[in-house]
Amino acid sequence: MARSGVTQNQVNRAADALLQAGERPTIERIRAALGTGSQGTLMRLLDSWWSDVGQRLSAQDAKLALPSAPPSVVEAASVLWTTALAQAQTLADKSLAGANAELASRTQALTNREMEVGAALALAQQATSEALQARTLAESRLADIERLTMQQAAQVLDLQSQRDRLVDERDSALRRLASVGEQLTEQAAAALADRQSLESQQRVHEERWAKDIDRARQEAAKLHSRLTRVEHDAGIAAREAIAQQDILRAALRTAEREQVAATTQLTARDAELTRLHEQLALAAGAKPIQRSRSKPLAPGAKKRRSVR
């Protein structure tokens, strides 16, 4: 819809000003000069300006034909005006060709957009079908997820047991290290007392003590590394188990809502069937058939099979 206030006179004045400034009147330049106007309205008014430009130039030519002017001046003015008319006609043809090309481009863009919308609709339909299949697959895998959760819970208990065992081993190694340190302190004190007579024996003992300390430290470091790794694995397994439990709870809530909806629909159908039987019986003049209405199952309840 064109904006109100844009008139043919406004477009004519703006186009004349652009032409006098040596610029070709276009829709964008007209809109910039006026500060308003839709593309369709400006195109229509600009086309009208181009169609009238010849007549207006002819009228201007008649005004310039001064009877009192010398012939040379009239001839020169006629040549100049003829050149201006030819240039204006050329500009009009170029502008019309540009407008036609722009219209063809917009038509092609609309066609491409229509094709894109059709492709998007097909993709949406395919996505809906895939979502239904995914829901069916999720319901069939619910039992597998429950079994996996139980297995992961057992793994968590096993990892916790391993962690406790490694903690005990680490504490035992630390106690052995403390005991070895005390023994070394005592042996060092005794060796210092007999240093001059047992100097060579002291070096042997010191080397052995250093090896024992290094071995004990390495053992403690290994136990600490194993304990850290087991605690990390236990934390990961616990988080995964919690996440799986949340997924199972959400799936069970969805299944319960679907079961309630199915039970409601079944009850409505049973009532409709009973009503139809009664109408048939009344139409035939017979006694209405009494049908036992099955009570809807509560959410999570299972239908019992009859025992023969």
Side-chain angles (χ1 to χ4, degrees):
M1 180 180 293
R3 294 183 179 179
S4 61
V6 179
T7 63
Q8 183 67 55
N9 292 332
Q10 291 177 337
V11 174
N12 291 343
R13 286 195 297 271
D16 291 340
L18 290 172
L19 191 61
Q20 291 174 2
E23 298 182 358
R24 183 173 65 88
T26 61
I27 296 174
E28 289 76 11
R29 290 172 179 172
I30 295 296
R31 184 187 291 112
L34 297 178
T36 183
S38 65
Q39 185 171 0
T41 300
L42 293 179
M43 180 181 295
R44 177 174 54 80
L45 296 178
L46 187 59
D47 290 341
S48 178
W49 176 84
W50 281 115
S51 64
D52 295 339
V53 69
Q55 298 177 1
R56 291 190 292 107
L57 290 176
S58 298
Q60 185 68 21
D61 189 16
K63 293 179 181 179
L64 292 176
L66 301 176
S68 60
S72 59
V73 174
V74 173
E75 183 178 358
S78 298
V79 172
L80 180 60
W81 196 250
T82 302
T83 303
L85 287 175
Q87 185 177 4
Q89 185 63 36
T90 302
L91 291 175
D93 294 338
K94 289 182 179 179
S95 178
L96 183 59
N100 292 333
E102 184 178 1
L103 180 60
S105 176
R106 289 182 177 275
T107 302
Q108 183 64 33
L110 289 176
T111 303
N112 295 336
R113 179 58 179 170
E114 184 178 359
M115 295 176 63
E116 291 175 359
V117 171
L121 180 59
L123 290 176
Q125 292 175 351
Q126 182 180 0
T128 301
S129 178
E130 292 176 355
L132 292 175
Q133 294 178 359
R135 186 186 67 180
T136 302
L137 180 61
E139 292 174 354
S140 64
R141 293 183 57 188
L142 181 59
D144 295 335
I145 295 176
E146 291 177 351
R147 288 194 297 270
L148 180 60
T149 302
M150 296 178 63
Q151 293 176 359
Q152 289 180 347
Q155 291 177 358
V156 169
L157 293 176
D158 184 55
L159 290 173
Q160 290 176 351
S161 176
Q162 293 180 11
R163 183 191 63 183
D164 296 337
R165 185 169 61 254
L166 289 175
V167 169
D168 294 337
E169 292 177 1
R170 183 193 63 182
D171 295 339
S172 177
L174 291 175
R175 287 193 297 270
R176 290 198 301 270
L177 180 61
S179 177
V180 169
E182 293 175 358
Q183 293 177 4
L184 289 176
T185 302
E186 294 174 359
Q187 291 176 3
L192 287 174
D194 299 332
R195 181 178 56 185
Q196 298 195 2
S197 60
L198 300 174
E199 186 174 358
S200 60
Q201 183 178 1
Q202 182 182 7
R203 286 194 297 270
V204 173
H205 286 309
E206 287 176 352
E207 291 177 358
R208 189 187 65 207
W209 297 336
K211 291 180 180 179
D212 291 338
I213 292 174
D214 185 68
R215 185 166 50 252
R217 288 176 178 174
Q218 291 178 357
E219 183 179 358
K222 290 179 180 179
L223 290 174
H224 185 269
S225 177
R226 288 178 58 191
L227 177 62
T228 302
R229 185 169 58 255
V230 168
E231 289 178 347
H232 178 70
D233 294 341
I236 293 175
R239 289 192 295 271
E240 290 179 352
I242 293 172
Q244 291 294 335
Q245 289 177 358
D246 293 338
I247 293 173
L248 286 174
R249 292 191 184 98
L252 288 175
R253 287 194 295 269
T254 302
E256 290 177 355
R257 288 194 296 269
E258 292 178 353
Q259 184 176 5
V260 170
T263 302
T264 303
Q265 185 177 6
L266 181 60
T267 302
R269 289 181 179 177
D270 190 26
E272 180 65 17
L273 184 60
T274 302
R275 187 179 62 80
L276 292 175
H277 277 289
E278 291 176 354
Q279 290 180 357
L280 290 174
L282 292 174
K287 184 178 180 180
I289 300 175
Q290 298 294 331
R291 292 175 53 89
S292 59
R293 297 183 179 178
S294 58
K295 296 182 179 179
L297 296 176
K302 296 184 178 179
K303 185 177 181 180
R304 298 181 178 177
R305 297 182 178 178
S306 59
V307 181
R308 295 182 180 179

